[in-house]
Amino acid sequence: MDWIVNLFSNHESVAYTVIIYSIVIALGVALGKIRFWGISFGIACVLFAGIAVAHFGFTVDGHIQHFVKEFGLILFVYTIGLQVGPGFFASFQQGGIKLNSLAVLSVIACVLTVIGLHYATGTRMAELVGIMSGAVTNTPGLGAAQQAIVDVSLERGASQEAINGILSNVSNGYAVAYPFGVLGIILVMMVLKYALKVNLDAEKRLNQWKINKNNSTVDKIAVYVENPILFNKHIAIIKQTLGMDFVVSRLYRGDNILLVDKDTFLKEGDILLLVGNPKDFERLSTLVGKKANLSLFEGEATNIISRRMNVTNKQAYTKKLGEINVREKYGVTISRVYRAGIEFVPTKETKLQFGDTITVVGDEEHIKLIEKVFGNSKKRLQHPHIAELFFGIVLGVILGSIPLYIPGMSSPVKLGLAGGPLIVAILISRYGGRFSVTHYVSHSANLMVREIGIVLFLASVGLGAGQGFIKTLSEGDGIQWMLMGVAITLIPLIVVALTARFYFKLNFLEICGLLSGSQTDPPALAFAHDVTGSDAPAVTYAAVYPLTTFMRIMVAQLLIVLFL
């Protein structure tokens, strides 16, 4: 039995470290699934499990713990960046600017509250930044703040023992503020609902009306060729006249359904199947002719079919569609492209990316030929691109390590191990395809790496803070920190909720998603979904989450550099 005693007493061994981390993560994830009055703390319970385990003496070597924490944070923020990158830029279109301006207001209100508490109570900024990260449930911000503390402290000649003490207090502040960070946003949603006497059915109808009004998805329309100006003219004249992005998928003439190309002549009575933005359909109908029945193109007698396939062949995603020349070479038409949740109409300048889903129109024989060109390999889609992922992390770490000197600051600011990889991932996911960089990660693979990263980080934070947590809570400033966390949680939420409702006239569903996203709080989003019975909050959440995450990472570092 000595081997068991040795296994759990040798805190330097690899086996002991693996066992402790595994116990903390497994216990925390299991506890996170338990719901109290319909609310669960989710993955954050890994932090509390780590605190509990460390409190009973099962600590981990400090150097190992530091490495695991930082590496887990990098994996988490990088995969988050890959996921939200395409939507990050799209979120600034239409109502995205309004939503993100409200998210910025939330961050500003949070910072002003923290600075006010710093001067009013005399609490050190390091502890307040930890409290702030917990109060807004932003784990990457905590990681960025801790790294900034280490960098600034080392530059000022602080001892490692002093640095560890500050980091412990920061983690404790995060831990004591986190529970109300989750509960506070839920409380604000409930109070807002009853105080404003929200009618959910009416709010849903209003939200659906706004979605339909701003709809930018791709759809199809059939129109008769009735404009005499178009008779006996090349089909390309429609695009030259209107200057809109759309595709002529096929043509109905007599009893035949035909594919078209730039040399196809239009005749009176032809029926065109057009694929484009629904907002342009009225103009198309005005120019070409009245709408026709779409069912004409859906009959079983025709040999023209449409099929969706994935782009997995390097020869396809390293060229523009105009270079592949699919219509002339292969006799098919690409009517739409689906990429990262966004569907759009391609042009000859469109450069496909690995993992894109395209809709191809043609006969069975030619579609089989073009399938070999684009790949459509499910196996390649499932294969993780490990080399590309870690190369992106290398670029992110390098970017995060570049010191940025700002006039008036004694120490440079860095994007850090949280900000650097996040920015690189966002940029690669958005622009990597233009340089033939494969960044595709399947949703399941992304989720797996992301969850592994965050649980490693939270377990490390909990194990580092656990020994002094109970003492801080019972004998130290724990209760005061908790109250300050309540203020940091509630003040920005109330300011943003009232501004969004009475100034920007947002509906309740949008406000719930906005509050969840501005606090980067997935449990609150889940609660909003349950309360509203709608997916609308998730749309708003996704629109503000990337910018908010980035700003909270940078703000945490700036507060440390300016006030530590």
Side-chain angles (χ1 to χ4, degrees):
M1 297 298 290
D2 291 342
W3 66 272
I4 296 181
V5 175
N6 182 64
L7 180 62
F8 285 93
S9 60
N10 184 3
H11 290 200
E12 307 297 324
S13 73
V14 174
Y16 168 84
T17 303
V18 170
I19 288 175
I20 294 302
Y21 267 99
S22 299
I23 290 174
V24 168
I25 293 170
L27 180 62
V29 172
L31 290 174
K33 295 179 180 178
I34 301 174
R35 300 174 72 89
F36 301 94
W37 299 285
I39 302 170
S40 65
F41 290 99
I43 208 77
C45 284
V46 174
L47 170 70
F48 302 116
I51 290 173
V53 169
H55 174 71
F56 290 105
F58 295 98
T59 56
V60 174
D61 178 78
H63 297 290
I64 296 176
Q65 176 191 306
H66 178 72
F67 167 75
V68 173
K69 180 180 69 175
E70 300 299 338
F71 185 62
L73 179 66
I74 291 170
L75 291 178
F76 175 68
V77 297
Y78 189 80
T79 47
I80 280 285
L82 289 180
Q83 180 190 19
V84 305
F88 177 77
F89 296 95
S91 68
F92 289 98
Q93 301 173 2
Q94 297 175 359
I97 295 179
K98 179 194 300 182
L99 295 173
N100 278 284
S101 65
L102 285 166
V104 171
L105 174 63
S106 174
V107 176
I108 293 174
C110 181
V111 171
L112 293 177
T113 303
V114 169
I115 294 175
L117 289 171
H118 171 66
Y119 286 112
T121 66
T123 305
R124 290 194 302 179
M125 185 54 73
E127 283 87 348
L128 275 169
V129 170
I131 296 168
M132 178 188 72
S133 299
V136 298
T137 66
N138 188 259
T139 306
L142 173 66
Q146 289 183 323
Q147 185 189 359
I149 289 169
V150 173
D151 293 341
V152 173
S153 299
L154 288 175
E155 286 182 5
R156 296 177 181 177
S159 66
Q160 188 60 50
E161 183 179 357
I163 294 174
N164 290 339
I166 297 174
L167 293 178
S168 179
N169 284 340
V170 172
S171 299
N172 287 332
Y174 176 90
V176 298
Y178 193 98
F180 191 81
V182 176
L183 295 174
I185 184 171
I186 293 172
L187 179 64
V188 170
M189 287 182 195
M190 294 174 64
V191 171
L192 191 67
K193 178 183 176 183
Y194 291 106
L196 299 178
K197 299 180 180 178
V198 170
N199 184 323
L200 281 178
D201 291 333
E203 299 285 326
K204 289 179 183 179
R205 288 194 296 269
L206 175 61
N207 188 71
Q208 189 59 48
W209 176 82
K210 293 177 69 174
I211 291 174
N212 294 337
K213 180 182 177 182
N214 297 317
N215 191 7
S216 60
T217 58
V218 174
D219 205 348
K220 55 189 177 182
I221 182 177
V223 294
Y224 288 97
V225 178
E226 297 179 325
N227 189 340
I229 297 176
L230 303 177
F231 298 165
N232 300 315
K233 297 291 179 63
H234 288 115
I235 205 163
I237 195 173
I238 305 178
K239 285 193 174 183
Q240 293 172 0
T241 303
L242 288 182
M244 295 184 298
D245 288 334
F246 64 92
V247 170
V248 183
S249 176
R250 58 204 105 159
L251 178 151
Y252 186 91
R253 178 176 293 166
D255 294 327
N256 298 316
I257 296 179
L258 309 171
L259 292 178
V260 301
D261 56 34
K262 63 181 180 180
D263 297 321
T264 300
F265 282 90
L266 295 174
K267 295 183 179 181
E268 182 180 4
D270 285 348
I271 302 176
L272 301 178
L273 182 64
L274 308 177
V275 178
N277 192 320
K279 292 194 294 184
D280 297 328
F281 286 173
E282 194 64 35
R283 292 175 60 195
L284 286 168
S285 180
T286 301
L287 175 73
V288 182
K290 66 182 180 182
K291 295 180 182 179
N293 195 338
L294 284 172
S295 62
L296 289 170
F297 295 91
E298 298 172 358
E300 297 181 1
T302 178
N303 64 337
I304 303 297
I305 60 175
S306 65
R307 182 171 299 165
R308 305 188 82 176
M309 60 182 65
N310 297 108
V311 178
T312 58
N313 192 336
K314 189 173 183 179
Q315 293 180 348
Y317 62 79
T318 55
K319 298 179 181 178
K320 295 179 180 178
L321 279 179
E323 297 177 76
I324 301 175
N325 204 8
V326 295
R327 183 69 190 97
E328 281 71 20
K329 288 185 178 180
Y330 304 99
V332 298
T333 299
I334 298 178
S335 62
R336 59 186 83 185
V337 178
Y338 186 84
R339 176 186 301 163
I342 301 171
E343 194 171 39
F344 60 92
V345 174
T347 67
K348 63 180 181 179
E349 298 298 319
T350 299
K351 191 171 185 180
L352 298 176
Q353 298 182 14
F354 183 92
D356 283 352
T357 300
I358 59 176
T359 300
V360 181
V361 181
D363 59 56
E364 184 72 34
E365 181 179 353
H366 286 94
I367 284 181
K368 287 182 179 179
L369 288 175
I370 200 67
E371 188 174 22
K372 296 178 181 178
V373 175
F374 291 114
N376 199 30
S377 171
K378 304 301 180 186
K379 183 177 180 180
R380 290 201 66 191
L381 281 177
Q382 295 171 357
H383 180 75
H385 296 269
I386 297 295
E388 291 86 347
L389 186 145
F390 278 95
F391 179 70
I393 288 176
V394 169
L395 295 179
V397 171
I398 293 173
L399 177 63
S401 301
I402 298 174
L404 305 174
Y405 292 92
I406 300 175
M409 290 190 179
S410 58
S411 301
V413 177
K414 298 178 182 178
L415 293 174
L417 297 180
L422 178 67
I423 290 177
V424 167
I426 288 175
L427 293 176
I428 286 179
S429 68
R430 179 63 176 85
Y431 298 108
R434 297 186 181 182
F435 306 99
S436 302
V437 176
T438 302
H439 63 271
Y440 177 83
V441 178
S442 67
H443 178 71
S444 58
N446 182 293
L447 184 61
M448 174 62 77
V449 175
R450 189 169 78 228
E451 292 296 295
I452 288 175
I454 191 62
V455 296
L456 288 176
F457 176 83
L458 289 174
S460 300
V461 171
L463 289 169
Q467 285 185 302
F469 179 77
I470 299 299
K471 185 177 181 180
T472 300
L473 196 60
S474 59
E475 301 177 12
D477 299 320
I479 301 300
Q480 182 183 355
W481 289 357
M482 191 178 294
L483 293 175
M484 287 191 289
V486 171
I488 296 172
T489 297
L490 290 181
I491 292 174
L493 287 174
I494 294 172
V495 169
V496 170
L498 296 179
T499 305
R501 186 67 176 185
F502 296 107
Y503 184 78
F504 288 104
K505 308 300 182 183
L506 297 187
N507 61 61
F508 180 70
L509 283 70
E510 292 174 311
I511 292 174
C512 287
L514 170 66
L515 296 181
S516 302
S518 65
Q519 300 287 92
T520 62
D521 192 345
L525 177 62
F527 179 81
H529 180 274
D530 292 341
V531 169
T532 62
S534 169
D535 292 328
V539 177
T540 311
Y541 179 94
V544 302
Y545 181 89
L547 179 63
T548 305
T549 298
F550 172 72
M551 287 192 65
R552 292 205 182 277
I553 288 172
M554 296 307 300
V555 160
Q557 293 186 87
L558 285 171
L559 288 173
I560 294 298
V561 172
L562 290 171
F563 291 95
L564 185 64

